[in-house]
Amino acid sequence: APAAPARVVVRAAHLVDVQSGTVRDNPLVVIDGEQITEVRYDGQVPAGAKVIDLGSATLLPGLIDCHVHLTGDPGEIKGDYYEAILKRSAIDSAILSPIYAKRTLDAGFTTVRNLGASDYVDVALRNAINRGDIPGPRMLVSGPPLGATGGHADDTTGFSPWIEFHSVDGVADGVDAIRHRIRENVKNGADVIKFMASAGVLSAETSVGAPQYSQEEMNAIVDEAHRWGKKVAAHAHGAEAIKMAIRAGVDSVEHSSMIDDEGLKLAKQHGTYLDFDVYNDDYILSEYTKKGFPASTIDKERLVGRTQRENFQRAVGAGEKLAFGTDAGVYPHGWNGKQFATMTKWGMTPMQSIQAATVNAADLLGMKDKVGAVATGHYADLVAVGGDPIKDITQLQHVAFVMKGGTVEKNELNR
Ligand code: ARG
């Protein structure tokens, strides 16, 4: 990316101040290099600054998605799901992933947490973005997700045992193997550890919610990851698996679909973030049969889709810590912002949904001093929309201006 000019002021009509939960008028965001040095409301432009005037637009902090998979996209699966899997390798995914990174950035998501990729393609993508070789969001990456043999992380399930697969994945059974697998991920560049606490939808197991690790194994994952200074995200749909993961001390539960009252209570007690990918169901039910996924997969989605939304609403009511995570990659990259409307339909205020994707997400990622708010000392990660997102949350599906680290990545408002 080209070097950002020394001092820039971004001016707009409004700013969604996610820290106070209010909308403020006539903001001036002063940026030096890649950082915000001041946010003022007195209309005084500091001397020598270049002004980017976004007119009547509303500014927000760059958005954060805590659960994406930038190394694949459903657009790759044209109707034969097995062909798409069996004829592609890590190199195919590495060639395409920069396109998905750019789509995500253009949609206003300046930071993402990539929760699961084979062969460390996610590490290479993050590194290329960090070097400035290609555009893309800031990325925290997990590398291959840990999971039990035959479980949600084992992509070789359902194939003939005579087929040999050559790919780096996260399959590990038993405490010692798990500790070794985590060390491999850390050694190869993982920022965060992802594991499969329960079965899933888009994998071959018959159950969708059954626990796939013992309590002892989950405890070992969290102990080992935290010792290396890495947070832990647990994929879990089933009520029991969710509670086991929370008791083990994970930092976030992903999907959280069938969480029960005891699970909600435990999450509160432990300060665990819950991520509900509540938009996903619409896309899977409308598209995945056409893509050749087996009927058993669609049936599993029917078991969790609606329940997940109802439980999301209960979690909002219970005042749980909620962060925005979409599982984009299961649905098209760049559509991340569609989930805001689902979240507001199921119990959140527009401001709460925006906070989930900014301050809360930044807190979960351990980056709250750097991203997730338009504030002094933070990266100059800003987005703008033409209308009022508090009145019409679908505005966040049409982000018209994106700045990441002081560099304008997209500007359809002022050319
Ligand atoms: N990756 C997840 C899985 O296969 C997707 C679940 C999507 N469904 C949902 N209702 N959120 O389990």
Side-chain angles (χ1 to χ4, degrees):
R7 174 166 280 190
V8 172
V9 169
V10 177
R11 142 182 265 165
H14 313 284
L15 166 71
V16 179
D17 179 348
V18 293
Q19 289 170 320
S20 66
T22 59
V23 178
R24 305 192 60 179
D25 295 335
N26 303 316
L28 286 180
V29 184
V30 184
I31 297 152
D32 281 284
E34 59 174 13
Q35 284 201 348
I36 297 167
T37 45
E38 206 186 350
V39 186
R40 51 201 295 171
Y41 296 92
D42 62 359
Q44 301 295 312
V45 176
K50 180 195 161 206
V51 178
I52 300 175
D53 192 339
L54 302 180
S56 60
T58 297
L59 276 174
L60 303 100
L63 303 169
I64 303 170
D65 191 333
C66 299
H67 190 147
V68 301
H69 300 276
L70 288 182
T71 54
D73 187 270
E76 294 169 26
I77 309 167
K78 309 278 191 228
D80 187 339
Y81 146 76
Y82 287 104
E83 183 184 303
I85 288 173
L86 291 171
K87 294 195 174 169
R88 291 183 186 224
S89 73
I91 298 175
D92 296 271
S93 133
I95 284 176
L96 296 173
S97 62
I99 298 171
Y100 310 141
K102 175 76 169 118
R103 277 181 201 160
T104 303
L105 183 60
D106 282 348
F109 288 79
T110 50
T111 302
V112 301
R113 188 171 64 156
N114 205 84
L115 289 184
S118 312
D119 303 294
Y120 299 108
V121 173
D122 53 349
V123 170
L125 182 66
R126 177 202 65 196
N127 292 351
I129 292 168
N130 285 351
R131 286 191 303 261
D133 292 340
I134 56 170
R138 301 178 194 288
M139 288 181 77
L140 295 188
V141 306
S142 71
L146 275 80
T149 294
H152 189 57
D154 187 350
D155 296 335
T156 69
T157 306
F159 294 97
S160 159
W162 280 270
I163 299 177
E164 259 198 71
F165 292 85
H166 298 276
S167 145
V168 184
D169 67 24
V171 174
D173 302 299
V175 166
D176 289 347
I178 280 169
R179 290 191 191 274
H180 177 77
R181 201 65 205 68
I182 288 173
R183 292 172 193 180
E184 287 282 348
N185 276 1
V186 173
K187 167 183 165 181
N188 288 295
D191 302 298
V192 54
I193 299 301
K194 160 89 181 282
F195 79 97
M196 306 308 183
S198 85
V201 174
L202 304 173
S203 45
E205 322 93 297
T206 44
S207 162
V208 55
Q212 292 190 331
Y213 270 139
S214 66
Q215 188 68 59
E216 187 193 19
E217 289 172 309
M218 293 192 204
N219 293 350
I221 292 171
V222 175
D223 176 63
E224 190 65 32
H226 284 177
R227 186 139 39 77
W228 290 87
K230 307 300 177 190
K231 294 202 182 199
V232 179
H235 157 110
H237 289 289
E240 190 54 36
I242 292 168
K243 288 185 277 194
M244 291 167 74
I246 296 172
R247 287 192 191 103
V250 303
D251 299 280
S252 69
V253 175
E254 305 301 310
H255 309 297
S256 315
S257 311
M258 301 189 258
I259 192 165
D260 60 14
D261 287 334
E262 194 188 0
L264 290 172
K265 223 166 120 189
L266 276 175
K268 260 262 176 81
Q269 272 167 19
H270 288 251
T272 316
Y273 270 100
L274 303 174
D275 295 350
F276 289 81
D277 54 328
V278 284
Y279 173 76
N280 232 344
D281 180 59
D282 284 356
Y283 188 83
I284 293 172
L285 291 184
S286 84
E287 301 301 318
Y288 271 54
T289 299
K290 290 180 237 167
K291 292 188 176 297
F293 274 76
S296 55
T297 294
I298 310 302
D299 288 343
K300 284 197 283 175
E301 180 54 39
R302 288 205 184 90
L303 284 177
V304 293
R306 168 123 196 148
T307 303
Q308 184 188 37
R309 291 173 177 187
E310 289 166 358
N311 286 336
F312 171 74
Q313 190 157 35
R314 288 169 56 233
V316 174
E320 299 289 338
K321 288 166 80 170
L322 300 170
F324 186 97
T326 64
D327 209 5
V330 167
Y331 70 89
H333 293 292
W335 289 20
N336 315 60
K338 287 181 185 259
Q339 184 171 285
F340 289 106
T342 317
M343 292 167 103
T344 56
K345 187 170 165 201
W346 290 88
M348 272 188 168
T349 64
M351 183 63 81
Q352 283 176 319
S353 73
I354 293 168
Q355 287 169 326
T358 53
V359 270
N360 296 6
D363 183 38
L364 169 57
L365 270 45
M367 297 175 76
K368 72 173 180 339
D369 297 330
K370 282 288 159 198
V371 300
V374 180
T376 302
H378 281 227
Y379 287 124
D381 294 353
L382 300 173
V383 303
V385 292
D388 178 354
I390 303 300
K391 287 211 183 82
D392 171 18
I393 197 69
T394 66
Q395 284 294 317
L396 294 178
Q397 296 171 26
H398 311 285
V399 168
F401 172 87
V402 179
M403 172 182 272
K404 179 191 159 208
T407 300
V408 177
E409 303 281 356
K410 171 180 177 177
N411 188 357
E412 293 173 350
L413 290 168
N414 157 310
R415 294 173 213 252

